[in-house]
Amino acid sequence: MKKLLLHIGYPKTATTTLQEEIFVTLHNQGKINYLGRTIQSTHVGTGRSNFDGVDWVWDLRRHYNIGKKLEYDNSVLKADILNLISDEDLTFHDFLNYAQFGKSHNHENLPQWLKNILGSDVEVSIVLTLRNQVDLIFSSYLQKLNFLKFFIGDYSFTDFLNNKYAYQDRDVKSHLSLYDFNYITNLWQTEFSSKINVMFFEDLSKDQETFFSELANLLPASSNELQKLGGKKNHRKRDKSNDYITVRYKSLSRFSRLITLFVNKRKFESFFKRRQQREFSLFLKFENRLLFKSVIMKVPKPTEKEQKFIKDMFHTSNIEFAKENNIDLKKMNKYNYIN
């Protein structure tokens, strides 16, 4: 029986630090077989990765965005070593996915899809990294704000919370159900008949001994070794002030917008952003200056009203979640999960 540790996110819970500093390093040391996301796993048309192995991020997106059958070679999972897949898109809000790719998916289907892909000869354990919903939802909103602005227009955080775009005609509770931790853990646990290992993003900054001790229970490495690898890393840190967070991104230049009069705007931008990521162009710097412009946005932090709206919505379910997973309510309160 092959063993697989599946890290399903959430986004903005130090997933990049875990992937780049810990999972990739352990893979290079021959301690695990890592098949998940990495900055090096630039998406290519074959679904292969520039890292070692299958680019699961690409394949999964192709599967649930386009509807094509996922090509899966069972041999990529090894029998004599821990296999690990880390893909925060498995807990990524489908509206934000829609804003970026123009395709929708239902996160309720993802556990079943993935189980069908993996087959019956794989023993799956799952780890879920969490962050309190106020910070988590706002950080996910910031992550795709440039796509929201580019394809939808001005769309405030309150607009997102209230589903102003009326995406899938959902009410607010359904729109935000992805952030109900009790609901999500039950969804994955039911499909895989496996206990969900829960880890808190807040521990990484406030209680690293606990964070890396819990991670060491899942990986073939000591907590001290893991802390040396990931304890001081902070990928994709944002500029912050007391009142706002600075978001920087690339947008199409005037010249590029002229081109989009004749070609599809979304495909044009996507193509050249992939060129930037892959860095294969001899004229990359020239292309950047000609085709893109830098945009800086100062986004207000969540208001007290927005924070209260989120905390009130998830207060009861977070208490139930804590009880079902034997989590100290004092810890939940300390980290702003409950009132």
Side-chain angles (χ1 to χ4, degrees):
M1 180 74 73
K2 299 175 180 179
K3 294 185 181 297
L4 170 66
L5 177 61
L6 180 63
H7 174 221
I8 61 176
Y10 282 80
K12 312 309 294 182
T13 57
T15 51
T16 302
T17 296
L18 291 173
Q19 292 158 355
E20 295 298 320
E21 306 302 331
I22 294 178
F23 301 155
V24 170
T25 300
L26 294 182
H27 175 92
N28 290 336
Q29 292 175 351
K31 294 182 178 180
I32 65 172
N33 178 35
Y34 181 53
L35 299 168
R37 170 177 287 186
T38 158
I39 291 174
Q40 297 181 46
S41 61
T42 305
H43 299 158
V44 292
T46 60
R48 300 295 296 182
S49 171
N50 290 341
F51 183 59
D52 184 17
V54 171
D55 189 340
W56 283 82
V57 177
W58 173 274
D59 276 350
L60 284 168
R61 279 181 170 173
R62 179 172 60 180
H63 185 250
Y64 62 62
N65 282 344
I66 305 175
K68 291 184 178 179
K69 182 179 179 180
L70 183 95
E71 297 296 333
Y72 171 61
D73 179 2
N74 189 265
S75 66
V76 300
L77 294 179
K78 300 179 180 180
D80 57 346
I81 195 172
L82 176 66
N83 301 279
L84 198 155
I85 296 173
S86 175
D87 182 2
E88 60 266 37
D89 279 7
L90 293 170
T91 45
F92 182 57
H93 198 284
D94 55 334
F95 171 68
L96 299 174
N97 188 85
Y98 170 78
Q100 181 174 1
F101 297 103
K103 300 286 183 177
S104 62
H105 68 271
N106 189 336
H107 58 262
E108 292 181 350
N109 297 327
L110 295 181
Q112 183 180 41
W113 283 351
L114 190 56
K115 185 176 181 180
N116 291 339
I117 290 167
L118 293 172
S120 59
D121 65 335
V122 181
E123 180 182 332
V124 178
S125 54
I126 299 174
V127 58
L128 178 65
T129 45
L130 302 181
R131 190 174 187 175
N132 75 72
Q133 282 98 340
V134 173
D135 293 342
L136 176 61
I137 298 174
F138 184 62
S139 294
S140 295
Y141 163 80
L142 287 178
Q143 185 182 16
K144 299 304 176 188
L145 183 60
N146 57 321
F147 293 102
L148 292 171
K149 189 172 182 64
F150 188 75
F151 295 114
I152 298 173
D154 290 334
Y155 200 75
S156 71
F157 186 49
T158 295
D159 291 339
F160 174 70
L161 294 177
N162 293 322
N163 193 20
K164 181 180 177 181
Y165 199 68
Y167 179 70
Q168 303 282 26
D169 294 322
R170 296 172 178 158
D171 59 26
V172 173
K173 185 175 181 180
S174 298
H175 176 63
L176 298 177
S177 64
L178 177 68
Y179 303 107
D180 184 330
F181 302 144
N182 204 37
Y183 161 68
I184 290 298
T185 51
N186 286 333
L187 187 69
W188 284 87
Q189 187 170 326
T190 298
E191 194 63 47
F192 283 94
S193 300
S194 174
K195 181 181 181 300
I196 306 295
N197 299 280
V198 176
M199 297 182 62
F200 288 87
F201 167 81
E202 290 84 359
D203 280 339
L204 189 58
S205 60
K206 301 181 185 299
D207 187 4
Q208 287 198 356
E209 183 177 350
T210 294
F211 184 89
F212 288 108
S213 293
E214 292 177 351
L215 188 60
N217 291 331
L218 304 173
L219 298 173
S222 69
S223 58
N224 288 337
E225 180 184 359
L226 297 176
Q227 188 167 355
K228 288 179 181 178
L229 293 175
K232 296 182 180 179
K233 302 293 182 180
N234 189 346
H235 287 266
R236 300 174 181 173
K237 186 177 181 180
R238 297 188 184 278
D239 299 333
K240 300 179 182 179
S241 75
N242 292 329
D243 301 315
Y244 59 82
I245 293 179
T246 302
V247 178
R248 305 170 189 271
Y249 65 92
K250 295 282 188 179
S251 183
L252 296 182
S253 66
R254 290 183 180 180
F255 178 74
S256 293
R257 289 199 295 271
L258 286 174
I259 296 177
T260 60
L261 296 175
F262 306 96
V263 300
N264 182 279
K265 181 167 59 176
R266 185 188 295 270
K267 291 182 178 179
F268 177 82
E269 184 182 64
S270 177
F271 171 75
F272 280 104
K273 283 192 174 181
R274 285 201 299 271
R275 283 175 70 88
Q276 288 180 298
Q277 293 169 354
R278 293 167 69 174
E279 297 185 357
F280 64 73
S281 172
L282 295 175
F283 305 101
L284 184 61
K285 290 184 179 180
F286 173 75
E287 287 180 353
N288 278 334
R289 294 178 63 180
L290 179 65
L291 300 174
F292 293 97
K293 64 178 181 179
S294 295
V295 178
I296 299 176
M297 295 179 61
K298 293 183 177 180
V299 184
K301 292 182 178 179
T303 64
E304 290 186 4
K305 182 178 180 180
E306 291 168 337
Q307 293 181 52
K308 185 178 185 304
F309 173 83
I310 296 171
K311 290 188 69 174
D312 286 349
M313 172 170 286
F314 296 106
H315 174 80
T316 301
S317 66
N318 280 348
I319 291 177
E320 294 173 355
F321 170 77
K323 291 179 179 178
E324 288 196 14
N325 291 275
N326 297 316
I327 299 171
D328 188 354
L329 287 175
K330 291 182 180 179
K331 183 173 186 175
M332 297 288 282
N333 181 263
K334 174 183 176 182
Y335 289 158
N336 208 30
Y337 287 76
I338 59 178
N339 296 318

